[in-house]
Amino acid sequence: MTRLSWSVVPAPSPLGALTVGSSPTGLCLVTWGADPERVGVAAARLELEPVEGPSAAAEQVAEYLAGERRRFDVPLDWRLTHGTQRTVLQTLFRAVPFGSTTTYAELADASGAYEGHGYTAARGVGSIMGSNPIPVVVPCHRVMAAGGLGGFGGGLPTKEWLLAHEGVLAPTLF
């Protein structure tokens, strides 16, 4: 059976750690904290055997957290996403670089996935951000509400830390 390599990458507080999983195709999973159970679920969905071990993706995540990397160039395995979710996340990955942000509505427009849906488009993108299987690398922390930070699956302190890490927020503001 083909393997899903995974490892836990230590991270500063409030993140604590990230669990990173890679298939032979590419990075497919980043989870908050040490989460081998979620690795098992992803491996089962992808019909892979979870095996703990290093990967280029985990190394790049560690470099990003240490302030040594601004762009991820490992291949991504998008198979844990589908349809509109994949379209929106791929648009986010391509179009919103380190140190910049967008809004839910702007991302909905840029993706083209919600043509004619108006207000509900931003809500749809918000739901997609919450289901992102590759946060940090596919930077859902860079997507904001029209009037502020918006929500975040890793918690608002984590979103604030990531945005300060990228120079979007001043560290003294939170």
Side-chain angles (χ1 to χ4, degrees), residues 8-32:
V8 176
V9 176
S13 182
L15 283 71
L18 296 172
T19 301
V20 178
S22 295
S23 74
T25 303
L27 174 65
C28 59
L29 184 69
V30 175
T31 66
W32 308 110

Side-chain angles (χ1 to χ4, degrees), residues 4 12 21 34 36 65 102 104 115 120 146 174:
L4 186 148
L65 293 170
T102 190
Y104 298 115
E115 297 276 333
T120 59
F174 60 92

